[in-house]
Amino acid sequence: MLQLTPKLDERSKEALYHQLYRYIQGEMIAGRIPAYARLPSIRRLAEALGVSRTPVALAYDQLLAEGYVISKPRSGLFAAELEISNRTQVSERTSATPSPSRAYHASPTETVRYDFGYGSIDVHHFPWTKWRRLVNQCLLPENNRMLLYGDWQGEAELRRHIAEYLHQTRGVRCTPDQIVIGAGTYHSLDLLFQLIKREVTTLAIEAAVNDGVKSLVEQYPFTCIPIGLEEDGISIHDVIHSTAGAVYVTPSHQFPFGMTLSIGKRMKLLKWATEHSAYIIENDYDGEFRYGTRPIPSLQSLDESDRVIYLGTFSRALGPAFRLSYLVLPPSLLDRFWKKQHSYDQLASPILQKALLLFMQSGDFDRHMRKMRTLYHRKHDALLEALTTHFPSSANVIGAGSGLHVLLQPGNGMDEAELVRAAEHVGVKVYPTSVYALSSEWALPATVLLGFGGLAETEIRAGVGLLAEAFRGSD
Ligand SMILES: Cc1ncc(COP(=O)(O)O)c(C=O)c1O
């Protein structure tokens, strides 16, 4: 039996479970816990360490979520096989039918009672009063500079705050100089493609992607290679055989299928990128919302070779209407940005950038994020609970645990279009997923997408109740 002997410090500010999680993770990376070794049971380890079972269970949950360990039914937990580059020391850093276009957007109609639109966020808990004050403050005559063009990389002080925020929440390591503020994910991605289009001829891309990403990629002369999606994220085998110069991934919560890229695959992907001087384009569009386990460190935070280009948005944290996003460029691409190898000036409004800066400086942004995480966590749990209550155990829920959407496979014999129509019939809007697949072979059969950000918990429960009825109708 594997002996685990961490030094746990009850007086430390770091939670016990996190100390234990870090210890096991470090032992695995150092090779002292070999692949396939069986971990002691929660009860045994808790007894051996003289702690309650809770911190042990939480540590195991986190390791499981990150793919450090795998669970075998009725056998327990086992160390996963990791591929660690010898330059990478993870443990030090981790502390720290409808129209295919815009198919995820809610489109309220009079007959829709519950819209599980993916692009929706909770608008009722937005700090309206604070934001009115902040925007007013920016529009005082003494701030008349706000009416002019801003810094073409984005307001410098805002970039400093974003760098800090990304470091604290996603482990991203960058200087404010590496950040380029954009007007939404597609603007940022477009700008990036302009920077790499002469260097990268073949682009590997997840076999199912957001429709905006799909149409953007089509506008460039890249040879596009779809990469298969497995339970623990993209197929590394496919990436290795793609001969691509860059790969586009959504590792925290694959869009739309919802899986998380395991730590073993993260390491392999980084190794591939380093060995082939390829780029990894990491779209972390909803990585700030993870429920039950700590947020998984971004790929950028594990990168030792400046191969990762990190991309994020404020569309989930604040709202898509802000049109604020950011790129974190590795130094080589930054140089190209500064040499203006792209056709954009700054597109994001300096007024909103300044207001966001004030929001961050006051500490209100952190408070808002804490509140929203709790709120979305509750909605997520309400949705899962309602699905468990109303649907038979044969129904399958995919992609739970993070972000603002899950996928549902009711398994009732209806195809995707029938599911969408049956839901509409009872006043509920759910969304097809096949539109996101690069070709039909990559689509999930009879699967619909349910976004939960924009609905109240009561609405989620009522909506799922109606859905269950509608989906039972064809039995
Ligand atoms: C994969 C993905 N990235 C990014 C976004 C957000 O895009 P934007 O920043 O343009 O609002 C979405 C949302 O709809 C998405 O699905």
Side-chain angles (χ1 to χ4, degrees):
M1 171 66 75
L2 188 66
Q3 290 293 322
L4 297 178
T5 51
K7 283 200 193 76
L8 299 181
D9 182 358
E10 305 254 11
R11 285 162 307 172
S12 162
K13 276 196 191 137
E14 187 184 9
L16 278 182
Y17 92 88
H18 197 251
Q19 295 179 42
L20 181 58
Y21 150 80
R22 259 193 323 105
Y23 166 82
I24 298 175
Q25 181 204 50
E27 293 293 283
M28 288 184 63
I29 288 164
R32 286 188 288 272
I33 298 179
Y36 313 116
R38 183 175 171 185
L39 269 64
S41 71
I42 295 175
R43 185 182 54 78
R44 246 175 209 269
L45 186 56
E47 278 172 10
L49 300 178
V51 298
S52 77
R53 290 181 199 181
T54 311
V56 179
L58 287 174
Y60 278 5
D61 278 351
Q62 184 69 30
L63 291 161
L64 199 55
E66 295 188 11
Y68 281 100
V69 300
I70 43 179
S71 167
K72 292 194 184 158
R74 286 183 295 279
S75 308
L77 292 180
F78 294 79
E81 192 181 1
L82 303 184
E83 177 135 357
I84 312 283
S85 105
N86 52 13
R87 295 184 57 201
T88 310
Q89 301 278 318
V90 189
S91 51
E92 282 166 24
R93 283 186 302 282
T94 45
S95 56
T97 341
S99 157
S101 64
R102 300 288 172 271
Y104 48 82
H105 284 289
S107 52
T109 67
E110 280 172 32
T111 51
V112 176
R113 291 162 69 190
Y114 305 110
D115 190 333
F116 285 89
Y118 163 66
S120 297
I121 55 147
D122 186 303
V123 291
H124 302 292
H125 291 81
F126 182 76
W128 293 101
T129 315
K130 275 180 192 147
W131 265 87
R132 249 195 318 275
R133 215 176 39 237
L134 295 175
V135 174
N136 276 342
Q137 201 175 325
C138 295
L139 291 178
L140 291 173
E142 55 261 39
N143 286 331
N144 55 17
R145 199 182 66 80
M146 290 289 100
L147 296 184
L148 305 176
Y149 292 109
D151 183 323
W152 61 295
Q153 193 170 348
E155 298 303 304
E157 194 52 16
L158 178 60
R159 286 189 274 115
R160 201 175 65 70
H161 276 267
I162 292 175
E164 219 167 87
Y165 164 69
L166 291 180
H167 185 247
Q168 280 165 13
T169 56
R170 310 295 300 121
V172 169
R173 296 168 302 160
C174 68
T175 64
D177 271 357
Q178 286 174 260
I179 294 185
V180 179
I181 293 177
T185 300
Y186 308 120
H187 167 228
S188 292
L189 205 52
D190 195 13
L191 194 156
L192 171 66
F193 285 166
Q194 292 185 23
L195 297 181
I196 62 173
K197 69 179 178 198
R198 281 187 201 88
E199 183 186 3
V200 173
T201 50
T202 304
L203 177 70
I205 175 166
E206 290 173 336
V209 291
N210 183 297
D211 48 339
V213 173
K214 186 156 59 168
S215 55
L216 188 61
V217 167
E218 283 164 5
Q219 290 166 37
Y220 282 83
F222 300 127
T223 304
C224 220
I225 312 282
I227 302 295
L229 290 159
E230 297 162 351
E231 246 178 56
D232 58 349
I234 52 165
S235 157
I236 300 297
H237 174 270
D238 284 8
V239 174
I240 289 171
H241 289 87
S242 69
T243 67
V247 59
Y248 166 88
V249 275
T250 46
S252 299
H253 190 220
Q254 201 280 330
F255 188 88
F257 295 163
M259 65 281 271
T260 301
L261 190 67
S262 67
I263 187 74
K265 283 194 167 177
R266 280 171 200 243
M267 294 306 189
K268 286 183 180 147
L269 197 59
L270 288 165
K271 186 167 182 273
W272 164 81
T274 305
E275 287 174 359
H276 294 81
S277 300
Y279 295 112
I280 300 171
I281 304 168
E282 174 177 29
N283 181 359
D284 203 18
Y285 67 103
D286 68 4
E288 60 269 62
F289 296 113
R290 186 152 193 98
Y291 317 115
T293 51
R294 281 173 57 85
I296 292 182
S298 62
L299 269 168
Q300 202 275 3
S301 72
L302 305 171
D303 177 20
E304 290 292 332
S305 314
D306 290 335
R307 301 317 310 171
V308 177
I309 300 149
Y310 183 86
L311 175 62
T313 177
F314 284 102
S315 288
R316 300 278 161 277
L318 293 177
F322 284 81
R323 307 316 300 138
L324 284 172
S325 56
Y326 42 85
L327 270 174
V328 180
L329 294 175
S332 58
L333 292 183
L334 197 58
D335 200 45
R336 285 182 213 172
F337 175 82
W338 283 336
K339 287 186 183 140
K340 206 116 196 352
Q341 293 183 6
H342 60 94
S343 58
Y344 282 124
D345 273 331
Q346 181 51 251
L347 293 192
S349 154
I351 299 172
L352 284 180
Q353 289 186 56
K354 174 74 177 172
L356 175 56
L357 167 63
L358 296 174
F359 192 51
M360 287 180 136
Q361 278 173 334
S362 65
D364 283 331
F365 179 73
D366 287 344
R367 276 187 282 282
H368 174 66
M369 288 307 290
R370 279 199 293 276
K371 183 173 79 180
M372 296 318 282
R373 275 190 203 106
T374 310
L375 193 73
Y376 288 138
H377 195 165
R378 289 218 310 261
K379 292 185 185 200
H380 165 270
D381 289 357
L383 176 59
L384 292 194
E385 205 179 286
L387 288 169
T388 310
T389 308
H390 291 287
F391 279 82
S393 55
S394 53
N396 197 15
V397 177
I398 306 174
S402 55
L404 300 184
H405 76 280
V406 299
L407 302 191
L408 174 66
Q409 294 178 319
N412 61 351
M414 290 179 175
D415 66 22
E416 181 187 88
E418 287 168 333
L419 290 171
V420 172
R421 268 201 308 275
E424 253 166 14
H425 204 65
V426 294
V428 180
K429 228 165 155 30
V430 295
Y431 292 80
T433 58
S434 59
V435 291
Y436 300 113
L438 292 188
S439 67
S440 53
E441 72 183 288
W442 303 108
L444 291 180
T447 308
V448 287
L449 186 151
L450 278 68
F452 55 84
L455 293 172
E457 285 174 59
T458 47
E459 293 175 316
I460 291 173
R461 290 194 189 94
V464 170
L466 287 175
L467 266 189
E469 260 172 50
F471 291 171
R472 223 177 283 129
S474 77
D475 283 349

